[in-house]
Amino acid sequence: MVTVLRWPQDEVTYRSAAPSSLIYPDEAPHHLALVRRSTLSGTDTFRLFIGRQPTPAYGHWLDVDAALGQQGVESTKWTREGVRVRFPEGHEVFVPARAFLYGR
C-alpha cells in the first residue's frame, strides 16, 4: 500500500477590503480573506481572516464549515459595525468590528 501525503498549503480563495471611505476607530485599513488549507491527509479546511494587512497573518481568524468554504464567498458588506460575509447558499456570517479592530 502506498500513501501519498501533501505538504500543508494555504491558498487565498477570496479577498475583500473595507472601502477607503469607511474609517474605523483604529484608523487602519482592513482586509478579509477566505483561506483554504490543504492538509497532509488531503482534506481541506477553511478559515476567514480579517486584519490590517492584505496577507493573512496576524488578525482575527474564524473557522468556516468546509461545505461553505468550498462554495466560496458571494459577497461582503463592510459597515461601521463590522463585516457581513454572504455565501452562495444564503448563509451569512457577521463579524463585529470590535473583533478585528486594533490589530486583533
Side-chain angles (χ1 to χ4, degrees):
M1 177 193 298
V2 175
T3 302
V4 177
L5 298 177
R6 297 186 307 173
W7 193 255
Q9 180 178 350
D10 289 347
E11 175 188 5
V12 174
T13 61
Y14 178 85
R15 292 182 189 275
S16 177
S20 59
S21 61
L22 179 58
I23 300 172
Y24 287 105
D26 64 357
E27 298 182 0
H30 292 86
H31 304 269
L32 178 142
L34 178 63
V35 180
R36 176 177 62 205
R37 169 161 272 204
S38 300
T39 64
L40 283 172
S41 65
T43 59
D44 291 337
T45 60
F46 292 85
R47 297 179 84 194
L48 280 176
F49 163 81
I50 306 168
R52 293 176 161 198
Q53 303 297 321
T55 303
Y58 182 75
H60 183 72
W61 288 90
L62 182 67
D63 292 331
V64 174
D65 182 85
L68 288 177
Q70 289 173 349
Q71 296 172 13
V73 173
E74 182 177 289
S75 64
T76 53
K77 183 176 182 183
W78 294 86
T79 65
R80 193 117 175 96
E81 292 75 31
V83 60
R84 183 171 307 279
V85 180
R86 183 174 176 83
F87 295 90
E89 292 286 328
H91 290 85
E92 292 183 347
V93 174
F94 178 75
V95 181
R98 70 179 178 275
F100 59 82
L101 292 179
Y102 301 100
R104 292 186 228 176

